[in-house]
Amino acid sequence: MRHGQTAGNAQRCYVGRRTDEPLSAEGRAQCARAGTLDQVRTVYVSPLLRTRQTAGLCFPSATQVVVDDLAECDFGAFEGRSAQDMEHDPAYRAWVAGGCTERCPGGESPDDHARRTCAALEHLVRDAMARGERALFVVAHGGTVMATLSMLGPRALGTGTNPATDAGGYFSWHVGNCEGYVATVRLDAGRVLLGDPRRFTHLSEASGFLDGES
């Protein structure tokens, strides 16, 4: 699940790993509209305030476990700035011209971020399976959602195509604030894969996973 809106999100800024903004009033309202799952006992969050606040509102009974590597992409020199702010910035224009796939100056590339977040999620999944848990709840970032599903989702299962904007690619998994995906998890030769991802806008759509339903 992606966190609720921040002021920087509303201004369409690059709000990444270095920008620790709280939820805005609209972000809190989005959390209220997304609903709550009171019966969830543990929720995994990034270290950034916006995810912890979202988890507190949407999973009010849960213990929060902070996982550093679930943090948003490090946008480096682009952090806190919007595309409009940087329309004449040659470094930004070159990055956009390259499909936003290269490393941000002083930061990460989408591939860097995907490797980091996927490793973290795979570790959480294996630990949960070892404990016999049937569901795993994560509140993180838009980039975290896109990274994990593009690397571990349908394309990894043999569907989708390679370009980042095509079906199964990085940007095709974009979600709005307080939205997310539910997916079934399986191990294939030790590799974690996310199958049948379904987008949700309200947490009631994810509640069936509490009982291990698909």
Side-chain angles (χ1 to χ4, degrees):
M1 180 179 182
R2 184 185 179 191
H3 61 80
Q5 188 182 83
T6 70
N9 292 154
Q11 295 164 9
R12 303 182 66 84
C13 294
Y14 287 90
V15 182
R17 191 176 191 175
R18 304 183 187 196
T19 307
D20 201 11
E21 295 184 330
L23 296 179
S24 63
E26 173 57 21
R28 291 180 174 276
Q30 289 171 339
C31 291
R33 292 194 292 269
T36 60
L37 285 181
D38 292 314
Q39 60 272 59
V40 174
R41 292 291 169 255
T42 304
V43 60
Y44 297 91
V45 297
S46 93
L48 297 172
L49 180 60
R50 53 196 183 270
T51 69
R52 293 184 283 114
Q53 289 181 329
T54 299
L57 293 168
C58 291
F59 302 92
S61 301
T63 297
Q64 295 184 22
V65 177
V66 174
V67 181
D68 287 344
D69 281 341
L70 291 176
E72 182 59 285
C73 186
D74 184 342
F75 293 113
F78 305 150
E79 282 270 346
R81 303 163 71 192
S82 69
Q84 185 175 1
D85 294 335
M86 297 184 285
E87 62 179 330
H88 301 301
D89 183 326
Y92 179 70
R93 298 313 312 165
W95 185 68
V96 171
C100 305
T101 59
E102 299 301 317
R103 184 186 299 271
C104 299
E108 293 179 297
S109 70
D111 280 349
D112 294 333
H113 180 233
R115 283 189 290 270
R116 168 167 62 80
T117 56
C118 286
L121 182 62
E122 289 184 90
H123 178 75
L124 294 178
V125 166
R126 288 193 181 92
D127 277 358
M129 286 181 165
R131 292 192 299 270
E133 295 179 9
R134 300 295 301 274
L136 185 71
F137 291 84
V138 175
V139 179
H141 306 271
T144 311
V145 173
M146 292 189 291
T148 52
L149 281 165
S150 64
M151 295 287 286
L152 306 177
R155 193 172 71 185
L157 291 163
T159 61
T161 51
N162 290 324
T165 54
D166 287 347
Y170 184 85
F171 294 108
S172 68
W173 297 108
H174 177 267
V175 290
N177 293 106
C178 274
E179 298 178 356
Y181 286 92
V182 292
T184 55
V185 180
R186 67 179 175 88
L187 293 179
D188 183 357
R191 185 184 183 194
V192 172
L193 296 175
L194 305 177
D196 189 27
R198 285 163 283 172
R199 187 168 175 169
F200 68 84
T201 58
H202 194 279
L203 282 170
S204 61
E205 299 168 68
S207 62
F209 280 71
L210 287 167
D211 300 317
E213 298 175 6
S214 59

